[in-house]
Amino acid sequence: MNIFVGNLAAQVSEEELETLFKQYGELRSVNIIRDMFSRESKGFAFVEMKDKTEAETAIKELNTKEVGGKKIVVNEARPKTDNRRGGSGNRGGGGNRGGGYGGGKRW
């Protein structure tokens, strides 16, 4: 079962999360989400546990627990959806009104 862990303090490491969750059962993975360039934590992580019952216990016990000075949010991760808005979208302006992002006609 995949678990979302939010409101993580920047200094919390994968090892700390692993130690925290291992008390409740066997883990498959621990992954703190980081900025691609700075490698700083984005404040959330995913923990995957092998057994659903153990994962549900971990969620119940760890939600709102203080870790690194912040109360973490722990719940079942929702499946990834592909609802990202791609393309140009409607960014205002358009037509011959000259609105939008600065490319309009100058009268």
Side-chain angles (χ1 to χ4, degrees):
M1 174 183 226
N2 204 10
I3 300 169
F4 170 82
V5 184
N7 200 36
L8 276 180
Q11 73 273 13
V12 174
S13 68
E14 275 94 354
E15 292 78 19
E16 288 176 272
L17 285 179
E18 184 176 327
T19 301
L20 192 62
F21 278 85
K22 263 205 287 198
Q23 318 173 57
Y24 300 98
E26 195 172 345
L27 306 181
R28 285 195 175 129
S29 64
V30 175
N31 186 21
I32 293 177
I33 306 305
R34 299 182 183 280
D35 179 82
M36 134 180 353
F37 299 107
S38 70
R39 301 303 301 153
E40 291 180 23
S41 170
K42 288 191 172 188
F44 66 97
F46 292 98
V47 175
E48 190 173 0
M49 296 186 73
K50 283 191 170 189
D51 183 79
K52 184 175 179 164
T53 304
E54 292 173 345
E56 288 170 346
T57 302
I59 289 169
K60 188 172 17 171
E61 295 294 321
L62 296 175
N63 190 36
T64 71
K65 179 176 178 64
E66 192 170 309
V67 177
K70 294 175 86 174
K71 286 187 178 183
I72 60 174
V73 174
V74 182
N75 51 48
E76 184 175 354
R78 290 189 285 266
K80 188 175 181 178
T81 59
D82 198 19
N83 283 350
R84 288 178 262 155
R85 292 183 185 180
S88 62
N90 183 4
R91 296 188 175 183
N96 287 329
R97 294 186 304 257
Y101 284 97
K105 292 184 178 180
R106 310 222 186 255
W107 298 94

